[in-house]
Amino acid sequence: MGLFSSRSTSASLSIVAKGCRIIGNLESEQSIQIDGYVQGNIATEAEVIVTPTGRVQGDIKAGLVLINGLVEGTCQGGEVNIQAKGKFKGTMQTQHLTIDKGGLLIGENLEVVEVVEVENVTKISPNRDLDKEASEDSSKSA
């Protein structure tokens, strides 16, 4: 898969350039490309692309995460691809994980579990009166 694939879901791209250092959180509606260094959290519903010169220390949450640099922290994405020069250290939570030859995952990948809300749950507890009646009935018939 190329760096700018046809799967791109955004019309525009925010870039943290090589040599640029950001300490703080990034949030965007569009894709974010990291060529420099980010210490902080990154959030977008689109793509986060970490190029071979890019480094992230923090949490990434995105629809698609392409790692071809170094990411240390946690990663939540609908799809995560660790490319040939990519290294991920930490905890990942994704529905679809791909690791290309040469890519490295040090840590764990947790299964995404869908949470279903349940309405009108009734707790059933033992009824002591029913137990008492049942024992009285059995003693009468004996």
Side-chain angles (χ1 to χ4, degrees):
M1 175 190 303
L3 185 60
F4 297 101
S5 67
S6 60
R7 294 170 24 177
S8 178
T9 58
S10 300
S12 63
L13 180 71
S14 297
I15 298 176
V16 176
K18 183 178 178 181
C20 183
R21 180 181 176 119
I22 294 181
I23 298 176
N25 298 331
L26 296 175
E27 291 183 25
S28 177
E29 293 179 5
Q30 284 80 35
S31 294
I32 301 171
Q33 178 175 313
I34 309 298
D35 296 332
Y37 174 79
V38 175
Q39 181 180 344
N41 302 328
I42 301 172
T44 181
E45 301 227 353
E47 302 172 337
V48 171
I49 303 161
V50 182
T51 66
T53 60
R55 182 172 175 204
V56 176
Q57 285 187 318
D59 302 336
I60 296 176
K61 186 173 185 179
L64 172 64
V65 181
L66 302 175
I67 301 171
N68 209 18
L70 175 62
V71 175
E72 296 176 292
T74 63
C75 181
Q76 292 182 354
E79 183 175 349
V80 177
N81 183 291
I82 302 174
Q83 297 175 326
K85 295 180 181 177
K87 291 180 183 147
F88 178 81
K89 297 178 183 179
T91 302
M92 184 176 298
Q93 189 171 17
T94 181
Q95 295 172 338
H96 302 284
L97 171 64
T98 304
I99 302 174
D100 294 347
K101 185 177 181 177
L104 183 62
L105 167 64
I106 300 171
E108 62 181 340
N109 180 34
L110 303 176
E111 180 181 7
V112 175
V113 179
E114 186 176 328
V115 178
V116 178
E117 289 188 31
V118 179
E119 294 182 24
N120 300 327
V121 175
T122 304
K123 182 178 178 184
I124 301 174
S125 60
N127 188 334
R128 297 187 193 281
D129 293 334
L130 289 177
D131 292 340
K132 201 185 244 184
E133 289 175 16
S135 64
E136 287 175 2
D137 288 343
S138 63
S139 63
K140 287 182 184 176
S141 58

